[in-house]
Amino acid sequence: MKLRCTANSIRLRVRKSDLDALQSQGEVSVPINFAPGIKLEYILKLGLAEHPQANYTAQQITILLPTELANNWINSEEVSIEHQQAYSDGQYLQLLIEKDFPCRHTEEKDLQDTFFELAPKDDLSC
């Protein structure tokens, strides 16, 4: 699972193995270790929610997906789940969770773990 953050935006790209773990275990997580005892962990999790939502607690970003929405997405050819998480001050956080395609500018080590079959044939991107 890959994490990309820009101003008020979080994007997760998930591989087939990530979605297998999400369905069987209810979550998938990735740690980023900065130094001994200092890490950031990002988690994609299934649960009870009306819409996808992001939360941040000490050293952890959690993206919660409504279970039924996630299962429908996982078991379809639909590529992404997108949601704008609004705040009371009028700002929002853009959430985008996508099935991962192979990169066209690097050689994939495990093409079978990407959603190569859903990628446009003329536009493989990262």
Side-chain angles (χ1 to χ4, degrees), residues 2-69:
K2 301 171 189 174
L3 172 68
R4 179 178 289 170
C5 298
T6 58
N8 291 342
S9 174
I10 296 175
R11 176 182 176 193
L12 291 179
R13 298 193 68 177
V14 294
R15 293 177 165 265
K16 290 179 178 180
S17 57
D18 297 323
L19 293 183
D20 289 344
L22 184 63
Q23 278 196 304
S24 66
Q25 300 164 17
E27 70 178 54
V28 61
S29 65
V30 176
I32 302 170
N33 295 302
F34 292 93
I38 301 172
K39 73 175 182 176
L40 172 66
E41 184 174 30
Y42 56 100
I43 302 167
L44 182 60
K45 186 174 187 175
L46 300 179
L48 297 176
E50 190 173 327
H51 301 286
Q53 61 186 39
N55 294 300
Y56 176 77
T57 56
Q59 301 176 325
Q60 193 174 79
I61 298 169
T62 302
I63 308 293
L64 179 66
L65 294 178
T67 303
E68 185 176 344
L69 173 70

Side-chain angles (χ1 to χ4, degrees), residues 45-106:
K45 186 174 187 175
L46 300 179
L48 297 176
E50 190 173 327
H51 301 286
Q53 61 186 39
N55 294 300
Y56 176 77
T57 56
Q59 301 176 325
Q60 193 174 79
I61 298 169
T62 302
I63 308 293
L64 179 66
L65 294 178
T67 303
E68 185 176 344
L69 173 70
N71 284 328
N72 289 338
W73 170 63
I74 290 167
N75 296 308
S76 74
E77 290 187 0
E78 193 173 337
V79 173
S80 63
I81 295 175
E82 190 169 1
H83 182 70
Q84 287 187 352
Q85 183 170 314
Y87 299 108
S88 59
D89 65 358
Q91 294 189 21
Y92 64 90
L93 176 64
Q94 182 72 30
L95 302 175
L96 180 60
I97 301 93
E98 300 177 298
K99 293 175 179 172
D100 193 26
F101 293 167
C103 295
R104 89 176 125 170
H105 66 275
T106 60

